[in-house]
Amino acid sequence: MELDPIPIGSCSKDHQSIYQHWFNHADSDADGRITGNDATRFFAMSNLSRQDLKQVWAIADSKRQGYLGLQEFIIAMQLVSLGQSGQPITHDLLSSDVDLKNLKPPIMEGLDVLLAKKKHKQKEMDVNGSSQLQPSLSSSWFSSKSTKKVPLSSVTSIIDGLKRLYIQKLRPLEVTYRFNDFVSPLLTNSDFDAKPMVMLLGQYSTGKTTFIKHLLKCSYPGAHIGPEPTTDRFVVVMSGPDERSIPGNTVAVQADMPFSGLTTFGTAFLSKFECSQMPHPLLEHITFVDSPGVLSGEKQRTQRAYDFTGVTSWFAAKCDLILLLFDPHKLDISDEFNRVISSLRGHDDKIRVVLNKADQVDTQQLMRVYGALMWSLGKVLNTPEVIRVYIGSFNDKPVNDAVSGPIGKELFEKEQEDLLSDLKDIPKAACDRRINEFVKRARAVKIHAYIISHLKKEMPAMIGKGKAQQKLIDNLAGEFGKVQREFHLPPGDFPNVEHFRESLRGYNIDKFEKLKPKMIRVVDDMLAYDIPNLLKNFKNPYD
């Protein structure tokens, strides 16, 4: 089965030049994005119905970012052209047999006159002298030391809005109560702009690397496959201008990549981390994270030189989907795999299970294997919901009919279609996921601030500070309970007690900040008003 890349406005160079000219005209603030107001003015010249234009926007803005870039604009224009020719505008239209490269641009009534006026005005400006263009404001949000607030008018997408809210309202609370030292590093531009990620976890030889190659329909730099543990490192497979492998130490310090937080795991881990780049249409929308095979049996006695569970937990927080791969002949969940799965708690909605290489057993054995797998997972996941399990053989070889039989082959094809459909939906749901993760982070920061300020309040003013701090650390679970009851917080949102205790030992609690209710109220208002308003402003302009 092939995961078809999302269509990206294929057209001839002549038409692309026309669309670029139109895009520059429609982009009134020259920020490289067409938002709702720009779109409604420009698309009105097509004379299509409001319902058709609503559908055009929904298809072109498939990632629900709240704006159209050049490629999305080209898709929109092609849909408008097809709509003007009488074809119904549907999601399947661009995937049909339409010759997009030779599709003529749509008729935009009055556009030629507007372009001529703009060209004449530009000539006058060139004669009289033009002012220097100002740099993009959003690009300097994370680098500027100025405390000047970013105006709402500069926000041109949901992601831009989240950046603004983070810088102005959430980050000050994180810095004040050292959230970055205890839970998660401060966010950067690349954390917001990163493509959706899919992480693959499983024991060695369960087909993780082969799965990625199967989707890409080709190999990638650094890919090794074999019956023995071949992938001994975390490999991020992402889009790039050419095929190359970048060492982990280099990747972790690149400002345009969202992996700076991995530096906390030290050089022992970074030497086992690399980035594999290659030009590929699928990688323009999704980044894959291939992981080392989880150890089992005697191999578990070999200690890794870095915190493997901590690294998987870090990636789990960043990823949009987590695939746990199993082999029908390797259903046992080792101690290390148990710890890895346990570290994924809080991300249950992202987890999918793949029973790979299922064509190696017949139908009767497959039923028993499926039952044994569900039983093993039930002991580890500790969730009342039944987790989704995909059954198939995800490689480029034909299904082994001799073993699986005709029923098995039909089942595998349907299961693969379901999984690939799940993967196709990731870019569309990425913006929603960003918002969800942002809200989760804001809630975690609030609880962290309550905990830190409570511990500070419990410290004596003068004498016996050392003994008081040790007592607070020893009774940390009890202190969490006090905070939870005082501020009426859900217990499930609190951090892991043991992990927090270990982090706390390196600090002097007396140096922590007292509770600042005003900062808490700012975050509460952000969650209650700013985020809903942001979603309202960047919904489909034709709704």
Side-chain angles (χ1 to χ4, degrees):
M1 291 300 189
E2 183 174 358
L3 183 61
D4 297 322
I6 300 166
I8 307 180
S10 301
C11 63
S12 66
K13 288 186 176 180
D14 290 340
H15 290 167
Q16 192 167 0
S17 177
I18 294 172
Y19 290 138
Q20 178 73 67
H21 193 37
W22 289 5
F23 180 83
N24 293 341
H25 171 75
D27 182 15
S28 58
D29 54 1
D31 65 347
R33 298 168 176 177
I34 295 178
T35 49
N37 292 334
D38 292 336
T40 50
R41 284 194 298 268
F42 188 84
F43 290 176
M45 292 184 281
S46 69
N47 291 325
L48 289 181
S49 69
R50 186 177 181 86
Q51 186 60 36
D52 282 343
L53 292 177
K54 176 181 177 180
Q55 190 71 352
V56 166
W57 181 278
I59 297 171
D61 183 26
S62 61
K63 299 178 186 177
R64 294 187 61 193
Q65 298 175 111
Y67 69 87
L68 303 182
L70 175 60
Q71 292 177 334
E72 291 85 6
F73 177 76
I74 292 175
I75 291 175
M77 288 294 96
Q78 291 173 333
L79 289 169
V80 168
S81 179
L82 292 170
Q84 289 178 343
S85 67
Q87 297 198 47
I89 299 172
T90 64
H91 284 272
D92 299 327
L93 190 55
L94 290 177
S95 302
S96 61
D97 296 330
V98 177
D99 184 7
L100 296 177
K101 288 194 175 181
N102 296 315
L103 181 66
K104 292 184 178 180
I107 299 170
M108 307 300 285
E109 187 177 316
L111 179 59
D112 290 341
V113 176
L114 291 174
L115 291 174
K117 285 182 179 179
K118 188 174 183 180
K119 187 175 181 180
H120 179 71
K121 188 176 181 180
Q122 185 65 44
K123 283 183 178 179
E124 289 182 349
M125 289 179 64
D126 290 341
V127 172
N128 299 327
S130 59
S131 59
Q132 293 290 322
L133 290 173
Q134 295 296 319
S136 172
L137 192 56
S138 64
S139 65
S140 62
W141 288 354
F142 287 85
S143 57
S144 174
K145 295 182 180 180
S146 171
T147 56
K148 183 179 178 181
K149 289 194 172 184
V150 179
L152 184 62
S153 60
S154 70
V155 174
T156 56
S157 73
I158 290 177
I159 300 301
D160 276 354
L162 292 179
K163 289 180 187 177
R164 177 181 66 89
L165 292 175
Y166 177 71
I167 287 295
Q168 294 179 2
K169 301 193 174 184
L170 188 56
R171 183 168 170 164
L173 190 64
E174 291 187 14
V175 173
T176 301
Y177 295 100
R178 305 185 185 186
F179 182 78
N180 55 308
D181 293 336
F182 284 82
V183 183
S184 173
L186 299 174
L187 298 181
T188 63
N189 235 332
S190 57
D191 290 308
F192 287 94
D193 297 331
K195 294 181 177 67
M197 288 196 287
V198 177
M199 178 167 64
L200 288 84
L201 291 169
Q203 296 185 53
Y204 66 90
S205 298
T206 52
K208 298 185 295 297
T209 305
T210 304
F211 183 90
I212 298 175
K213 290 178 64 177
H214 175 62
L215 294 181
L216 298 178
K217 294 299 176 186
C218 63
S219 186
Y220 57 87
H224 302 289
I225 295 174
E228 74 285 356
T230 48
T231 303
D232 66 341
R233 60 192 62 224
F234 281 85
V235 181
V236 173
V237 186
M238 64 191 305
S239 177
D242 50 22
E243 292 191 12
R244 58 173 179 162
S245 292
I246 307 174
N249 285 285
T250 305
V251 175
V253 296
Q254 286 191 231
D256 59 340
M257 291 192 179
F259 305 114
S260 58
L262 290 171
T263 55
T264 58
F265 297 101
T267 54
F269 164 71
L270 294 177
S271 63
K272 294 291 185 180
F273 172 55
E274 69 178 40
C275 174
S276 178
Q277 288 188 334
M278 62 182 293
H280 194 282
L282 179 57
L283 295 178
E284 291 177 7
H285 303 279
I286 299 175
T287 294
F288 292 97
V289 181
D290 193 6
S291 63
V294 178
L295 301 178
S296 62
E298 289 293 319
K299 298 181 184 67
Q300 293 183 81
R301 298 183 181 181
T302 305
Q303 294 295 317
R304 298 186 192 267
Y306 60 90
D307 181 7
F308 181 75
T309 305
V311 172
T312 55
S313 180
W314 187 92
F315 272 112
K318 297 280 185 182
C319 286
D320 295 76
L321 197 69
I322 302 167
L323 299 180
L324 301 180
L325 273 74
F326 288 88
D327 183 315
H329 302 104
K330 295 178 184 175
L331 294 180
D332 62 308
I333 297 179
S334 63
D335 292 342
E336 184 175 60
F337 205 3
N338 194 336
R339 291 194 297 272
V340 167
I341 296 175
S342 297
S343 72
L344 303 180
R345 283 183 188 145
H347 307 290
D348 306 47
D349 59 318
K350 304 179 184 179
I351 299 175
R352 306 288 187 274
V353 175
V354 177
L355 181 56
N356 200 14
K357 305 182 182 180
D359 62 344
Q360 295 181 0
V361 295
D362 60 38
T363 308
Q364 185 179 16
Q365 289 176 316
L366 183 59
M367 291 174 63
R368 292 172 178 168
V369 165
Y370 181 84
L373 176 60
M374 296 301 290
W375 181 78
S376 298
L377 288 172
K379 294 194 301 180
V380 180
L381 289 173
N382 293 325
T383 175
E385 292 85 11
V386 178
I387 198 162
R388 180 66 164 97
V389 178
Y390 296 98
I391 303 170
S393 185
F394 296 90
N395 54 57
D396 296 330
K397 299 177 183 177
V399 173
N400 189 349
D401 291 343
V403 177
S404 61
I407 297 177
K409 182 178 180 180
E410 184 180 355
L411 171 67
F412 298 159
E413 289 178 350
K414 289 181 178 179
E415 289 287 289
Q416 289 191 38
E417 285 293 339
D418 286 348
L419 177 54
L420 297 184
S421 177
D422 211 353
L423 290 171
K424 285 180 182 179
D425 287 339
I426 291 174
K428 295 180 183 179
C431 193
D432 295 333
R433 175 78 66 185
R434 290 274 194 282
I435 298 165
N436 184 51
E437 292 298 322
F438 186 84
V439 172
K440 280 170 61 176
R441 184 181 181 96
R443 289 164 62 92
V445 173
K446 267 183 59 182
I447 288 180
H448 179 79
Y450 281 131
I451 293 171
I452 292 296
S453 59
H454 169 80
L455 295 175
K456 164 71 174 178
K457 185 179 70 175
E458 294 296 308
M459 290 291 288
M462 297 290 290
I463 305 171
K465 292 184 179 181
K467 288 183 178 180
Q469 172 158 336
Q470 189 59 48
K471 185 178 179 181
L472 288 172
I473 292 175
D474 293 340
N475 188 38
L476 196 56
E479 301 303 324
F480 278 15
K482 290 180 184 178
V483 174
Q484 187 249 320
R485 289 188 293 273
E486 181 181 356
F487 297 102
H488 309 288
L489 302 170
D493 286 355
F494 278 72
N496 179 275
V497 174
E498 291 303 321
H499 176 75
F500 200 91
R501 180 181 286 124
E502 286 302 313
S503 301
L504 197 59
R505 293 187 192 280
Y507 292 91
N508 183 349
I509 295 179
D510 194 48
K511 299 293 185 182
F512 289 161
E513 293 285 343
K514 294 179 181 179
L515 184 63
K516 298 184 178 181
K518 186 177 179 181
M519 297 184 77
I520 299 292
R521 281 198 300 272
V522 167
V523 174
D524 284 336
D525 289 344
M526 177 190 77
L527 294 173
Y529 304 109
D530 293 334
I531 289 181
N533 287 338
L534 185 67
L535 298 178
K536 182 180 178 181
N537 290 336
F538 292 102
K539 66 179 182 180
N540 191 318
Y542 297 97
D543 280 340

